[in-house]
């Protein structure tokens, strides 16, 4: 037995089977082997009357080992190991703590009893990885908690707390202990005293789903998980197998699991899972200490400043917010209060803590001197270089030496902002996404003179605030907004050449984004893009194509949702927006003025250009070292721009599509517009050599 991963001991007549496979006790091949051998040993141990199965470290088993996915399966496979546990003639008690997920919960369901410590979270998150539970979860969970509750948990991947698990009958006891081993022993002693034997879920009859409810539930799952294959396949597998014997149901589950394992969606979702975790790994920061941050300052109490404040308060930080006058400070306080209300409603905070945070941890002032004692300041003022430089000059004056000075700029040059201070080595960019109390992405912009300690501090803050920090170098728009400007421009060119904004939006939604670029534009306000275009007009390259139609809308006061009209019309009949019947005529007028003969585009052509522009810009960003890894770019687009997770992000998607095909497409588009469609040299090289972005990222990490 791999002793170091699965240990077998005995305490009196109770065997103790302990899994110790840090960090999350994933069920690697060696752990499966160890568990199988432990069960053989239990059967042969004349002294043992029962066994407690528990885990060392911070959690019970958090699932199958995701890094094994896509490789040939190694025996013993998990369903067989769990069958072995369930078949034991001596009762097996799973003692749960931490996060009991996926294969971990399936192991627990194979045990005969389940005891959980307070704070335990349980779930079958396989659909979030493009799979369904593949080790009996679709069969044992409905037998434990009923069809509907099981179907909801399996198709959503939702995690539940120990209290809900107890209510559902998923666990037998919610123990009042802090150690799983002790909780398991206490429960098992009682069990033996009462003379209880094994209770096998596989021996229960399968619950019958109600056909009329299934149809409605299926429609709901389809709507909520649009574009994804796993949730519906999971539901269908559940429904189909409920009329079967347990063994037939297991075989049915296995077939569906194997099918899903082969899908591009599974590969994309597993890529996203590891990409998110890789983003936090910064090899050059190994051993670098982050500065202690307990008190943060925020300059600017608009929506962004409020969102950052709310997120920081929830993370346990002391927040001082500075606004230009008392009335604005009061407004910001009220806004933060509302955001915390939302957190209470979403169950992220309890009402008492909310009151406590507002009363004791938040302070709003109209005077920068309030920031004299904070550890880190985030400037969230108006997006204008002169305004931000002025703020930083003031911060330089009032903040104590060593305070990290962060700007929340979304486009501007962080080096120029740092230059406004006498301490550029304290300056970094922290680009939050709106609403900052909800969105998980945080671009960490490392400027020319930002030292490793300050970068490490930013990553530590991201982690503490529950954000995914992604490192970016300095350029116009950093990773995300730079890519956005490019694919937005590709969309504008499509509209100039003959597509309607509605066709573009529909094609982008059909690709999997929640919204198209013109819906997003209406939401953000068309005045923002207009102002940027005006600012850049004087220095614009004459070959750049300008979205004249967007300027016309803004000049006519059609600024999007806030004015009831933008690309779409928003009224009582269509609060989410409806196409403007006059748009086509307006566009044709503009095309005539520009001498463009409109042509039609298919949905596939629109998606092709949109994605080619995105990938090409991503390749340039990688090549220039603005992003260190292609997977970091994927994380930014997934978490900040609504890229469909089941496609893994633009760089992963591009590799799956074939870089050579995308490069060839860009070259052919360049024949008509060589200025816009300049092929990234990196993309050209990788396409020619048959390499992927991951290879380019690895090389960068090595150099
Ligand atoms: C499954 O079980 C299929 C079965 O139905 C059928 C099989 C036949 N495998 O997230 P963290 C690593 S599907 C391998 O930063 P946290 C992770 O990469 C699986 N590695 O910590 C990271 O490594 P590194 C169903 C894993 O405290 C380190 O552990 N299960 C796995 O914020 C720490 O992770 C899931 O989907 C894994 N399963 O969160 C659960 N899990 O340090 C997936 C983690 O090198 N896991 N790692 O970057 C999670 O949701 C979170 O990791 C967890 C901890 C909540 C457990």
């Amino acid at each position: 037995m791999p002793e170091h991963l699965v240990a077998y001991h005995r305490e009196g007549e109770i065997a103790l089977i302990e899994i110790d496979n840090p960090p999350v006790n994933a069920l690697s091949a060696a752990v499966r082997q160890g568990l199988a051998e432990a069960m053989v040993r239990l059967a042969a141990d004349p002294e043992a009357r029962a066994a407690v199965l528990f885990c060392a470290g911070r959690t019970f088993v958090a699932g199958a080992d995701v890094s094994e996915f896509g490789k040939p399966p190694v025996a013993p496979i998990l369903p067989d190991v769990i069958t072995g546990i369930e078949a034991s003639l001596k009762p097996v008690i799973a003692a749960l703590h931490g996060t009991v997920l996926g294969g971990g919960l399936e192991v627990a369901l194979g045990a005969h009893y389940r005891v959980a410590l307070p704070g335990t979270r349980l779930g079958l998150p396989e659909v979030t990885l493009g799979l369904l539970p593949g080790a009996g979860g679709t069969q044992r969970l409905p037998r434990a908690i009923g069809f509907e509750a099981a179907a909801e948990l399996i198709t959503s991947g939702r995690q539940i707390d120990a209290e809900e698990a107890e209510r559902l009958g998923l666990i037998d006891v919610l123990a009042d202990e802090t150690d799983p081993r002790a909780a398991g022993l206490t429960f098992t002693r009682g069990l033996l005293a009462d003379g209880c034997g094994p209770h096998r879920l596989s021996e229960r009859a399968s619950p019958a789903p109600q056909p009329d409810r299934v149809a409605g539930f299926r429609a709901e799952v389809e709507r909520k998980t649009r574009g994804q294959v796993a949730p519906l396949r999971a539901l269908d597998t559940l429904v189909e197998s409920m009329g079967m014997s347990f063994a037939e149901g297991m075989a049915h589950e296995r077939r569906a699991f194997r099918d899903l394992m082969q899908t591009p969606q599974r590969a994309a979702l597993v890529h996203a899972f590891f990409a998110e975790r890789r983003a936090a790994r910064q090899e050059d920061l190994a051993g670098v200490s982050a500065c202690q941050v307990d008190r943060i300052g925020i300059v600017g109490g608009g929506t962004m400043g409020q969102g950052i404040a709310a997120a920081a308060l929830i993370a346990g930080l002391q927040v001082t917010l500075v606004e230009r006058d008392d009335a604005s400070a009061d407004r910001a306080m009220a806004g933060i209060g509302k955001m915390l209300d939302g957190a209470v409603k979403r169950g992220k905070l309890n009402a008492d803590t909310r009151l406590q945070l507002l009363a004791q941890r938040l302070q709003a002032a109209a005077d920068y001197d309030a920031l004299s004692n904070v550890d880190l300041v985030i400037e969230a003022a108006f997006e204008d270089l002169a305004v931000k430089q002025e703020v930083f000059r003031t911060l330089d004056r009032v903040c104590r030496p060593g305070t990290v000075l962060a700007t929340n700029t979304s486009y501007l040059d962080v080096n120029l902002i740092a230059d406004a201070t006498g301490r550029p080595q304290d300056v970094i960019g922290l680009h939050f996404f709106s609403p900052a109390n909800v969105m998980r992405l945080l671009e960490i912009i490392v400027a020319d003179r930002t030292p490793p300690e300050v970068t490490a501090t930013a990553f530590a803050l991201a982690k503490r605030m529950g954000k995914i920090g992604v490192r970016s170098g300095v350029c116009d728009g950093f990773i995300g907004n730079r890519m956005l400007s490019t694919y937005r421009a590709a969309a504008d060119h499509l509209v100039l050449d003959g597509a309607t904004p509605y066709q573009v939006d529909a094609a982008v939604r059909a690709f999997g984004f929640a919204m198209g670029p013109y819906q997003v534009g209406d939401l953000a306000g068309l005045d923002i893009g207009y102002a940027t275009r005006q600012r850049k007009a004087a220095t614009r390259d004459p070959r750049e194509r300008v979205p004249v139609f967007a300027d016309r809308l803004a000049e006519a006061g059609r600024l999007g949702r806030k004015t009831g009209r933008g690309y779409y019309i928003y009224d009582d009949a269509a609060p989410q927006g409806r196409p403007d019947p006059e748009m086509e005529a307006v566009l044709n007028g503009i095309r005539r003025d520009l001498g463009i003969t409109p042509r039609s585009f298919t949905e596939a052509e629109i998606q092709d250009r949109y994605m080619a522009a995105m990938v090409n810009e991503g390749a340039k960003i990688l090549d220039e070292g603005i992003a260190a890894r292609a997977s970091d770019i994927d994380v930014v687009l997934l978490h900040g721009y609504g890229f469909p997770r089941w496609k893994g992000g633009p760089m992963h998607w591009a590799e799956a599509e074939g870089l050579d095909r995308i490069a060839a497409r860009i070259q052919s588009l360049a024949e008509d517009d060589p200025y816009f469609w300049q092929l990234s040299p990196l993309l050209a090289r990788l396409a020619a050599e048959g390499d992927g972005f991951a290879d380019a990222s690895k090389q960068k990490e090595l150099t």
Side-chain angles (χ1 to χ4, degrees), residues 96-100 116-122 160-163 174-175 177:
L96 313 174
H97 77 295
T99 40
V100 182
L117 298 190
T120 305
R121 298 190 65 77
L122 306 94
I160 57 175
D161 57 26
E163 288 74 16
L174 177 50
E177 309 219 26

Side-chain angles (χ1 to χ4, degrees), residues 497 545 599 609 666-675 677:
D497 290 339
R545 303 182 71 191
R599 52 156 293 198
R609 289 187 186 209
I666 293 169
Q667 276 164 329
S668 100
L669 288 164
E671 287 168 16
D672 284 340
D673 184 353
Y675 176 73
W677 292 105

Side-chain angles (χ1 to χ4, degrees), residues 194-209:
D194 293 345
C196 298
H199 274 185
R200 299 185 185 91
L201 286 171
S202 65
E203 289 171 359
R204 290 195 195 165
S206 67

Side-chain angles (χ1 to χ4, degrees), residues 23-24 26 58 62-67 69 78-79 99 101-103 106 125-126 128-129 131-135 159 254 257 273-274 277 281:
V24 297
R58 59 178 156 128
D65 187 338
V66 180
S67 65
F69 290 177
L78 191 58
T99 40
L101 302 176
E106 291 175 299
E126 283 85 347
T128 65
L129 296 171
L131 291 167
L132 50 62
Q159 291 180 22
R254 193 79 199 143
F257 182 77
F273 175 83
F274 283 118
R277 282 150 185 87
R281 265 204 303 274

Side-chain angles (χ1 to χ4, degrees), residues 55-73:
C55 286
R58 59 178 156 128
T59 182
F60 191 77
V61 173
D65 187 338
V66 180
S67 65
E68 289 181 357
F69 290 177
K71 300 175 187 159

